[in-house]
Amino acid sequence: MNLKLRFALLFTSFVAAILFIACTGIYFLYSTYREDDYYNRVQSEGNDLYDIYSNLKQKSPVVQQEDILRVHRIALVNERLYVLDSTGSLIFSLGNRININFPILDLKKVKKSGVIRFTDVNNHQIVVVYKPAQNQYLITTAFDRVGLRKLSTMKLILASVFGGSLLLTAVMSFLFVRQAIKPIVELSNQMQRTNELNLSERIFVKPAKDEINAIAQNFNAMLERIKTAFEFRKSYVHHTSHELRTPLAVMLSQTEAALNSNYDVEGYRKVLISLKEDQQNLIELTNSLLLISQNEQIEFMDEWPYLRIDELLFDTVAYFNKSFPDAKTAFSFDNLPSEDEQLMVKGNESLLRAAFMNLMKNAYLYSEDQSVNIRLITDNKTVRIKFQNKGDQLSVEEAEKMMIPFFRGSNVGKKKGFGLGLAIINRIIIIHKGSLSYKAISENLNSFVVVLPVKK
């Protein structure tokens, strides 16, 4: 059973239950009202006839049915009147006698309560009244033919209303549900059609702010993220293939040229030196690609120890100065931390060291004066590390793409590289639940900011 039919049946079932309760309630309320109303009419009619009987009894000891009928005509269907003495013996009757077994009447109960009402098997409504002044019992009975017919008619009307309303509800609920879940059906169809070739297709989202449109919006946002991921992977594979093919092609052409030429020892030495340089570049590229692949699989681990970020930076700066003796490195605190916890970061020491080392190397390589300025800012929640240098700045478009592997900005000039450093750094910082951002400041000042959470 599909979702549309299930919702329609469920909604119809709820409405059917409500209609059944309403129709049943109306029927029983009207039935109770009819019964009480007719009991009152029977009792009132009996009292009127008994008053006539009493008045005639005072004038003549013998009262006949014809004497009462001359004064008051019978108003109810199958109306009967019986008068019993204190012992339960019949002393007067009006109308054809019906099968009422007077001895079974609980006269003591009638005397105590004053009035008893009941209905016999033939639907004759019977009212028994005790007359204390005369110490007599008055039994009045009648048949509510009109009321019972109305009750039967009402039963048919309510049954028709219930059936018609139920049918109309079923049709309307099916149409309503079909319209209501139309976005879900479109979403399902979109999911079936979605593949790597049509990730640009989107579901139409209406202006209404409801759950269905929220699902459609989230699905469109998910498609956008998937499209971005596919484009990233596609670009990554393309650039990787290109970067790997270029040194391999150069190496092959140099090898073929050497094989087809009669070089002297110095000539072959130059070829081997060139091949070695290309091989080193190829190894460096392969290591970078391997590092990216490894970082994609690494996740934050609660078992990592807390590190003092200032001590890690001092060690990294010392190692960096040995690798680049001509670098001008400056390290400073923008504000002194009030507690040691403001410098404690949970993380992997080797990964963070590699990230900081690459940021310093980038700042050094693309600086005008080989200077690198490192500033540390702390607060109760995060620690910010700014790596600044003076040099050509990235445009807004380039800044948005700088984390993409193999992307290189216009400020690289003739400097060698593969455009993988920032991608690796960003992944390491994300693993540590931090963020990496770039900001171009006035006077050719570039600033890469690393934000990491500290110990709470």
Side-chain angles (χ1 to χ4, degrees), residues 11 42 109 193 228 233 267 281 286 291-293 317 355 416:
F11 181 76
V42 171
K109 185 177 180 181
R193 294 193 304 268
T228 302
R233 295 296 181 187
N281 290 335
T286 304
L291 186 58
I292 289 179
S293 176
V317 168
K416 294 183 179 181

Side-chain angles (χ1 to χ4, degrees), residues 33-47:
Y33 168 76
R34 179 208 65 80
E35 188 175 48
D36 290 341
D37 180 66
Y38 202 70
Y39 273 133
N40 292 332
R41 292 179 61 187
V42 171
Q43 185 174 347
S44 177
E45 183 72 10
N47 289 332

Side-chain angles (χ1 to χ4, degrees), residues 43-103:
Q43 185 174 347
S44 177
E45 183 72 10
N47 289 332
D48 290 344
L49 292 174
Y50 185 77
D51 290 340
I52 296 173
Y53 166 77
S54 299
N55 291 330
L56 292 176
K57 189 71 174 175
Q58 294 174 2
K59 297 178 181 180
S60 173
V62 179
V63 179
Q64 302 293 328
Q65 294 187 14
E66 291 79 7
D67 298 331
I68 294 178
L69 293 177
R70 281 196 296 268
V71 179
H72 181 86
R73 305 300 300 178
I74 293 177
L76 303 177
V77 178
N78 293 342
E79 184 178 341
R80 306 287 186 269
L81 178 69
Y82 305 93
V83 181
L84 308 181
D85 60 14
S86 58
T87 63
S89 300
L90 180 64
I91 59 177
F92 178 78
S93 67
L94 177 66
N96 297 326
R97 183 172 179 177
I98 62 173
N99 187 20
I100 297 180
N101 192 2
F102 299 116

Side-chain angles (χ1 to χ4, degrees), residues 3-13 169-170 173-174 177:
L3 188 63
K4 180 166 55 179
L5 183 57
R6 187 183 305 170
F7 279 166
L9 289 177
L10 185 62
F11 181 76
T12 303
S13 299
T169 300
S173 63
F174 184 80
V177 170

